[in-house]
């Protein structure tokens, strides 16, 4: 069964304190892995797509990496405005290409 | 501004009542989706439509129905609401279901069933 697990559930950082969020996945043929940001009371907003192991994508203070079993979202020198829930999702080659989401990691960055 | 519009934003509903959540997109995307989001469970797919005139069942379809009469609209109907359907519902779209890419989400509809 296709599955996505994110850890930790919540992460509290001081401004400038770099860290990483983890997304472990089990899927029968990975078509793509996605990262989204979700602010309270809003819909998820797309950040990155990763297609194959070894691939990396960057956007401002965020960098996403991918291996055959997991993805990391590295946050370098975070700011309070980076506080949000970060969602990981995978799309498999089977099952009608539906996207499966993890439960998310809630990130709090304190000034 | 291009995007997805959901209505209502929030609704309190008595159990047993019928409810339709509306979703309209203006991006001319072929694929549309309905997800529900519950604390600790993440987003779960209810129903999807790869193109106008076709629909399919997702992970948690029971108690819900959808239709896709045209490209832009994808309403979700709860025929007889139950308290377990209390959730935040998100409509999403993508240019194609078969090509990996980003999902565009609406702002959500918060539904409470009493």
């Amino acid at each position: 069964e296709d599955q996505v697990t994110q850890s930790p559930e919540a992460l509290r950082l001081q401004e400038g304190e770099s860290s990483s969020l983890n997304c472990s996945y089990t899927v029968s043929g990975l078509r793509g892995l996605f990262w989204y940001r979700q602010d309270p009371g809003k819909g998820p907003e797309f950040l990155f797509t990763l297609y194959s192991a070894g691939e990396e994508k960057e956007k401002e203070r965020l960098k996403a990496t991918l291996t055959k079993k997991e993805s990391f979202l590295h946050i370098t020198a975070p700011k309070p405005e980076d506080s949000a829930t970060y969602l990981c999702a995978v799309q498999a080659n089977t099952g009608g290409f539906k996207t499966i989401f993890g439960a998310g990691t809630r990130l709090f960055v304190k000034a | 501004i291009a995007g997805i519009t959901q209505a209502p934003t929030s609704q309190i509903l008595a159990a047993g009542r019928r409810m339709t959540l509306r979703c309209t997109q203006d991006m001319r995307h072929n694929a549309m989706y309905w997800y529900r989001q519950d604390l600790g469970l993440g987003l779960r797919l209810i129903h999807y439509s790869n193109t106008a005139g076709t629909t399919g069942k997702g992970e948690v379809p029971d108690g819900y129905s959808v239709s896709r009469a045209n490209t832009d609209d994808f309403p979700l109907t709860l025929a007889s609401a139950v308290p377990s359907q209390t959730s935040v519902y998100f409509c999403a779209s993508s240019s194609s279901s078969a090509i990996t890419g980003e999902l565009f989400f609406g702002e959500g509809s918060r539904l409470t069933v009493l």
Side-chain angles (χ1 to χ4, degrees), chain B residues 41-98:
Chain B
L41 294 178
L43 287 157
R44 292 181 292 168
L45 183 65
I46 304 171
H47 284 288
Y48 65 95
S49 169
N50 288 334
T51 189
T54 68
T55 62
K57 293 181 179 180
E59 181 184 356
V60 288
D62 294 343
Y64 306 95
S65 64
V66 292
S67 62
R68 188 87 185 275
N70 56 61
T71 298
D72 298 341
D73 301 301
F74 191 44
L76 176 73
T77 297
L78 290 66
S80 180
V82 296
S84 62
Q85 292 178 312
T86 294
S87 186
V88 181
Y89 292 86
F90 287 99
C91 181
S93 72
S94 64
S95 57
S96 170
S97 63

Side-chain angles (χ1 to χ4, degrees), chain A residues 31 36 38 42 51 91, chain B residues 37 45 97-98 100 103 107:
Chain A
R31 195 167 185 87
Y36 288 82
Q38 185 175 23
K42 303 289 187 181
Y51 294 101
Q91 189 178 47
Chain B
Q37 187 173 41
L45 183 65
S97 63
T100 55
L103 292 178
E107 296 289 81

Side-chain angles (χ1 to χ4, degrees), chain B residues 2 18 21 26 42 65 107 112:
Chain B
R18 179 184 180 90
L21 303 180
D26 60 4
S65 64
E107 296 289 81
T112 302

Side-chain angles (χ1 to χ4, degrees), chain A residues 41-78:
Chain A
K42 303 289 187 181
E45 178 183 355
F46 171 79
L47 291 173
F48 305 109
T49 303
L50 301 168
Y51 294 101
S52 58
E55 188 175 0
E56 298 182 353
K57 292 277 180 71
E58 287 190 64
K59 181 179 181 179
E60 295 181 354
R61 295 176 292 282
L62 301 176
K63 183 170 79 172
T65 61
L66 181 64
T67 72
K68 289 186 178 181
K69 294 184 177 181
E70 58 192 349
S71 176
F72 292 94
L73 185 65
H74 307 277
I75 303 175
T76 302

